[in-house]
Amino acid sequence: MAKLNVQNTEITVISYNDRDYISLTDMANGKQSESRAADIIKNWIRTRYTIEFLGTWEMIHNPNFKVVEFDHFRMHAGLPSFVMSVSEWIEKTNAIGIIVKKGRYGGTYAFKDIAFEFGTAISVTFKLYLIDEFQRLKEEEQKQLGWTAKRELSKINYHIHTDAIKSHLVPEEVTSAQASVIYAEEADVLNVAMFGKTAKQWREANPELKGNIRDYATINELICLSNMENINAVLINDGMPQGERLVRLNQIAIQQMQVLEGNDNRKLLK
């Protein structure tokens, strides 16, 4: 669930069947009293244009839509005697574009295309602000998804890598501080192979940035780093010296990034 703020009106957005549905009830409440909101929605859905719009949307997006029932509603829409509720529309036509929820966040919700169309019934200005606010919400969600994906990628082969270091490079009788130095050195083997600099060198070059070098890596770089953690673990298990592993990992980093990004800008370490 998320909230949009459109012209000082708070509008709920929920996820239903992996789709975003915007509260028509909240939209109507923003312009009329709560008691009048249901009437606004009911008056909107009974017009011929709205029925045409809803039916066309359903035929495009809903393979289970009952077209015969839709034709019946379309024939009578707009007549003074024609009365229909959202619940009746859903029940008779098997519509999915509009849903009715009960409980704490109850009300009438519609898929974004339909919600934007309903916005016109309130005002053109309101509709345009609604579209802008919804797009901003989606952009924020994409940023969050990207950040989450990057963090998860960095964890994929982490335990394999640290286990290999613990088993083959950390002597049995060392302090935690001494062991931490060894782990940091091996992390820097990957950093140098990938970025050409250690974590310390990156911090010194970027004092204004928070976090570490990997927080600012691209998705492709993190994919490559994750692969390199696994490969470095294998090389450690095989007993390859650190210097040789660094050269080999750098070659692998260049090769994989060329595949992922389709360029040959990265140079071998000297």
Side-chain angles (χ1 to χ4, degrees):
M1 189 192 71
K3 294 286 187 179
L4 304 177
N5 192 295
V6 181
Q7 291 189 310
N8 297 317
T9 299
E10 193 173 74
I11 300 170
T12 305
V13 181
I14 62 172
S15 178
Y16 181 76
N17 289 339
D18 295 324
R19 289 185 171 186
D20 291 313
Y21 283 76
I22 301 172
S23 174
L24 303 189
T25 303
D26 288 347
M27 292 170 63
N29 283 342
K31 293 302 175 181
Q32 298 288 337
S33 65
E34 188 170 340
S35 60
R36 287 275 297 146
D39 290 336
I40 292 175
I41 296 172
K42 186 178 293 185
N43 290 336
W44 170 74
I45 201 172
R46 67 185 293 272
T47 66
R48 184 177 182 83
Y49 176 82
T50 299
I51 293 295
E52 289 274 6
F53 181 89
L54 294 177
T56 303
W57 187 95
E58 294 289 344
M59 286 190 288
I60 294 172
H61 298 280
N62 181 6
N64 299 315
F65 182 60
K66 297 179 180 179
V67 179
V68 174
E69 285 74 3
F70 160 57
D71 286 336
H72 172 76
F73 284 134
R74 179 166 50 183
M75 289 175 57
H76 294 86
L79 295 176
S81 60
F82 179 68
V83 178
M84 185 180 66
S85 67
V86 173
S87 296
E88 185 180 4
W89 167 255
I90 296 169
E91 181 183 350
K92 295 292 180 62
T93 66
N94 202 30
I96 61 173
I98 298 183
I99 61 174
V100 177
K101 298 282 288 182
K102 296 181 179 180
R104 183 179 179 186
Y105 299 106
T108 301
Y109 291 79
F111 187 71
K112 63 181 180 67
D113 301 344
I114 298 171
F116 294 158
E117 184 63 29
F118 177 69
T120 306
I122 297 175
S123 78
V124 174
T125 303
F126 185 90
K127 174 183 178 179
L128 293 174
Y129 277 116
L130 174 66
I131 293 172
D132 284 345
E133 184 66 9
F134 184 80
Q135 289 174 337
R136 183 200 61 76
L137 173 66
K138 293 293 101 182
E139 289 171 1
E140 289 297 320
E141 287 182 354
Q142 287 301 315
K143 290 178 183 178
Q144 182 64 28
L145 284 172
W147 182 87
T148 301
K150 288 172 71 173
R151 299 307 300 177
E152 291 304 314
L153 279 170
S154 68
K155 299 175 184 177
I156 291 174
N157 288 316
Y158 173 78
H159 292 297
I160 295 174
H161 188 236
T162 55
D163 185 70
I165 296 170
K166 180 179 180 180
S167 300
H168 297 277
L169 300 180
V170 179
E172 290 185 5
E173 296 182 359
V174 295
T175 65
S176 298
Q178 290 170 326
S180 296
V181 171
I182 297 173
Y183 286 117
E185 287 178 351
E186 285 302 319
D188 270 336
V189 168
L190 300 180
N191 289 334
V192 173
M194 185 72 223
F195 306 108
K197 61 185 68 177
T198 66
K200 181 180 178 182
Q201 289 170 335
W202 181 87
R203 286 194 300 272
E204 291 174 346
N206 300 278
E208 75 286 357
L209 298 180
K210 297 181 179 179
N212 59 56
I213 190 171
R214 299 188 187 197
D215 290 326
Y216 296 89
T218 65
I219 290 291
N220 285 342
E221 288 171 335
L222 286 173
I223 291 171
C224 187
L225 275 169
S226 179
N227 293 339
M228 287 165 60
E229 283 182 326
N230 190 39
I231 294 168
N232 194 36
V234 173
L235 299 180
I236 290 172
N237 290 333
D238 289 344
M240 182 180 288
Q242 188 182 82
E244 294 180 26
R245 284 189 283 109
L246 175 58
V247 174
R248 181 71 183 120
L249 290 168
N250 178 240
Q251 294 169 342
I252 292 169
I254 292 169
Q255 183 182 49
Q256 291 196 1
M257 288 302 294
Q258 286 174 350
V259 172
L260 290 170
E261 297 190 341
N263 66 63
D264 56 359
N265 293 331
R266 291 175 182 264
K267 306 300 181 183
L268 288 166
L269 293 171
K270 297 181 179 179

